[in-house]
Amino acid sequence: HLTGCVAFTASGHVFDPLIILPSKKTLRTLEEFSNIAYFGSSNAGWMTKGLFTYFCILLICQISHYRLTLDDSLKNERFLLIVDGHKSRENFTALLLLYLFNVDLILLPSHCSHLLQPFDVAVASPLKMFFKDELSTDNCDLYFTGQGLSKQSTQNLRRSLIRAFL
């Protein structure tokens, strides 16, 4: 299991994602992704309050750099971050950091993103379709070795999943 967290602007700029892996996974095997993604871990590979704070710090740094590329009339405008209502968002430190760096947070109610058509149609559905296509191209779980099918190692499977997400 892995959790991918990625933020993007309405104009299409995509910030480097945070990928959360189960804590038993070693990050040293993922050095090939060091310049295009950030990594974190939790017991099960899910978002936690601490990891949400980490994500906010990473995002604030990237937004601060991105602001430098904007027209002077836009540099100091507030950003709007729309996230689901997961429990990890109930986090004073993360919310304070976002506020201090001119990022407003909108929490969508839990378990309703499937009802919010703009998100599903514009983001989630194409991402899932592209992810599946990338995995099948990479032959994710099974691949031909010339001697038939054989299982991919866990390390290679994790690399395939991350490559497909990125």
Side-chain angles (χ1 to χ4, degrees):
H1 175 80
L2 63 86
T3 301
C5 308
V6 63
F8 52 90
T9 66
S11 64
H13 179 83
V14 180
F15 297 102
D16 292 341
L18 168 64
I19 298 174
I20 303 169
L21 300 167
S23 57
K24 60 186 173 189
K25 307 300 179 208
T26 58
L27 298 179
R28 69 176 175 262
T29 61
L30 303 171
E31 291 175 357
E32 68 186 276
F33 304 110
S34 64
N35 293 327
I36 53 176
Y38 297 97
F39 291 92
S41 65
S42 66
N43 287 338
W46 297 102
M47 179 65 81
T48 64
K49 287 184 180 186
L51 285 170
F52 184 64
T53 302
Y54 177 52
F55 173 72
C56 290
I57 291 169
L58 294 172
L59 184 60
I60 287 167
C61 292
Q62 291 181 79
I63 287 173
S64 296
H65 185 264
Y66 177 71
R67 285 182 193 276
L68 298 174
T69 68
L70 297 175
D71 185 72
D72 287 341
S73 63
L74 297 173
K75 284 184 180 179
N76 295 317
E77 291 294 317
R78 299 189 68 79
F79 272 64
L80 181 62
L81 179 61
I82 303 172
V83 298
D84 64 7
H86 189 263
K87 286 287 233 183
S88 62
R89 301 342 174 231
E90 297 172 10
N91 182 332
F92 179 78
T93 304
L95 299 177
L96 178 61
L97 287 168
L98 291 172
Y99 173 78
L100 291 173
F101 285 88
N102 291 334
V103 179
D104 293 326
L105 184 71
I106 291 182
L107 290 174
L108 300 176
S110 297
H111 309 293
C112 77
S113 64
H114 64 285
L115 299 173
L116 300 170
Q117 287 301 314
F119 174 78
D120 271 359
V121 172
V123 179
S125 180
L127 177 64
K128 288 176 187 176
M129 186 172 55
F130 184 77
F131 188 73
K132 287 177 189 175
D133 288 346
E134 284 294 308
L135 284 176
S136 64
T137 300
D138 203 28
N139 297 315
C140 180
D141 190 38
L142 297 172
Y143 66 99
F144 288 98
T145 62
Q147 301 170 337
L149 292 174
S150 68
K151 284 251 183 220
Q152 196 173 18
S153 71
T154 304
Q155 183 177 347
N156 288 336
L157 176 59
R158 184 173 51 248
R159 188 176 287 115
S160 293
L161 290 169
I162 292 169
R163 192 175 14 258
F165 178 75
L166 294 173

